[in-house]
Amino acid sequence: MADRAFTVLDLIDLDLKEHNSLNLRCIGGRKGLGRVVDIPDLNRPMGAIMGFFEDFAYQRIQLFGRGEAAFLRRLENEGKTDTIEEMFSYAMPCCIFTHNLTPHKDFFEIAENAHCPILQTELGSADFSARIMRILSRIFSPRQIIHGVLVEVFGLGILIQGDSGVGKSETALELIHRGHRLIADDVVEINCIYGNTLMGAGANKIIGHHMEIRGLGIINITHLFGVRAIRDRNEIQLVVELEEWDSSMNYNRFGTEDQTTELLGVNIPKLLIPVKPGRNIPIIIETAAMNERLKSMGYHAGKEFNRNILKWIESDAARSVFFGQDDVI
């Protein structure tokens, strides 16, 4: 969840575009726009409208679709407002009407007296529910700020980490030059969505698509390479750690054992790549991205190589080479 309380006003002011847009506007109860939304879920209050308040989930955002609006019109025609008054005695965050529906004036008056915001959207109930649940899941998800560079390589989100000066930004710059995309440089904000998906973005939108290259200074990737070279956020599917080559280290040469690292409780594949003059790290990372794609499709080159070696050792040809022709019966 965000460091500060997330309010109804924050919900209205979210900068959302295209398929994420909620198109919300306040049509009543403006004094309550500071009410806090602290549960990332919705409630359809038909039971409360009918006077059934047992287990009423008033702490959630209340969503009114065509069914709820039709029942409100029936209550208006019958002159009944007691259940509406009782419903607003609970501290609901806000009420949202879909399909551009508008409640009757009695509903507005009761909401105004209770300082409960009334919002409206032209979206249908199903579409709006899917959008706001996706957005609230991101807002209330666990998050972590880490040092690194996040790039998209062949559609795969790769988090590049390593000590300062090891060449993370320079590696990312070469990847961008080769047609891949930058999500964030230096400071990456990670969100855990739905408990098993890690989404990464720049921690600061203003400086997110800038890079610091030692000896060159700050560069603007968008201006240099165009909008094709950037992306606002991406799922993190691989972690690459760069480190200075250490001749005493026994680095992975066959890749038969997969390594992982844990971020926000989620295990992500990890590669340790030693850096020294003559090694083309961007090409290695491109190859790692393609290899990770193959693994996700069920093909593991290192394990297949190991199986083929075992088959060769067990074959007649291998025994002949080992024992010599004179020893073969």
Side-chain angles (χ1 to χ4, degrees):
M1 187 175 174
D3 296 334
R4 63 179 182 84
F6 183 75
T7 66
V8 178
L9 182 60
D10 293 327
L11 180 64
I12 297 174
D13 287 343
L14 287 174
D15 184 18
L16 304 170
K17 299 177 178 64
E18 300 174 357
H19 62 280
N20 284 324
S21 178
L22 298 177
N23 301 332
L24 285 172
R25 52 194 169 276
C26 182
I27 59 175
R30 294 183 180 276
K31 293 181 180 179
L33 288 176
R35 288 195 175 190
V36 174
V37 178
D38 52 15
I39 296 181
D41 209 345
L42 302 174
N43 182 55
R44 300 294 292 265
M46 179 61 83
I49 297 172
M50 299 174 66
F52 183 76
F53 290 94
E54 186 175 345
D55 294 327
F56 175 37
Y58 66 90
Q59 305 95 333
R60 303 178 183 179
I61 294 173
Q62 307 298 310
L63 186 66
F64 291 75
R66 286 179 173 146
E68 291 82 2
F71 200 86
L72 287 176
R73 286 194 298 270
R74 176 181 173 181
L75 294 179
E76 179 187 19
N77 294 334
E78 296 175 355
K80 296 179 180 180
T81 61
D82 52 336
T83 57
I84 306 301
E85 291 175 352
E86 186 173 356
M87 185 178 71
F88 278 101
S89 68
Y90 292 85
M92 301 176 292
C94 65
C95 298
I96 300 177
F97 284 80
T98 60
H99 301 282
N100 269 339
L101 296 168
T102 303
H104 56 79
K105 61 181 179 59
D106 292 336
F107 190 96
F108 273 117
E109 291 176 1
I110 297 171
E112 288 285 353
N113 293 333
H115 295 171
C116 181
I118 308 299
L119 311 182
Q120 186 186 63
T121 178
E122 70 267 19
L123 297 174
S125 299
D127 189 13
F128 179 81
S129 297
R131 294 188 187 196
I132 194 171
M133 290 302 299
R134 184 168 61 243
I135 292 163
L136 291 177
S137 296
R138 187 177 76 239
I139 291 172
F140 286 86
S141 63
R143 65 185 57 196
Q144 180 181 355
I145 303 294
I146 64 172
H147 180 67
V149 181
L150 182 58
V151 291
E152 182 197 69
V153 179
F154 298 130
L156 198 77
I158 299 180
L159 177 65
I160 304 175
Q161 294 186 289
D163 294 337
S164 179
V166 75
K168 299 184 296 295
S169 295
E170 290 79 0
T171 299
L173 182 60
E174 176 62 23
L175 287 169
I176 294 166
H177 186 72
R178 295 173 65 87
H180 306 292
R181 295 196 282 184
L182 173 72
I183 292 93
D185 178 62
D186 194 40
V187 182
V188 182
E189 180 181 86
I190 302 176
N191 289 63
C192 180
I193 310 295
Y194 308 124
N196 60 1
T197 302
L198 297 179
M199 297 297 294
N204 189 314
K205 290 185 178 180
I206 298 176
I207 64 174
H209 294 138
H210 291 72
M211 296 184 73
E212 177 193 353
I213 304 298
R214 285 177 171 81
L216 181 61
I218 303 296
I219 60 174
N220 188 316
I221 296 300
T222 309
H223 291 172
L224 284 175
F225 297 93
V227 293
R228 69 163 184 82
I230 62 170
R231 187 169 181 177
D232 289 334
R233 56 193 298 109
N234 202 86
E235 181 181 352
I236 299 175
Q237 296 155 288
L238 177 65
V239 175
V240 171
E241 183 174 350
L242 304 181
E243 73 168 23
E244 295 289 346
W245 183 287
D246 186 352
S247 58
S248 64
M249 286 283 292
N250 185 20
Y251 294 108
N252 191 352
R253 298 182 62 185
F254 297 102
T256 54
E257 295 183 3
D258 294 330
Q259 294 182 328
T260 62
T261 186
E262 184 179 302
L263 294 171
L264 294 174
V266 180
N267 287 324
I268 299 293
K270 177 182 177 180
L271 293 176
L272 176 63
I273 299 180
V275 178
K276 73 173 183 178
R279 302 202 84 204
N280 194 323
I281 304 302
I283 288 183
I284 293 175
I285 291 179
E286 282 185 333
T287 306
M290 292 186 286
N291 193 46
E292 195 63 33
R293 285 290 188 196
L294 285 175
K295 288 181 182 179
S296 67
M297 298 168 64
Y299 176 79
H300 198 298
K303 292 181 179 180
E304 184 190 45
F305 177 79
N306 193 43
R307 286 194 299 268
N308 291 337
I309 291 295
L310 292 176
K311 288 180 182 179
W312 181 78
I313 292 175
E314 295 171 356
S315 68
D316 290 336
R319 287 199 298 270
S320 298
V321 172
F322 181 80
F323 293 108
Q325 294 294 335
D326 296 337
D327 297 326
V328 178
I329 297 176

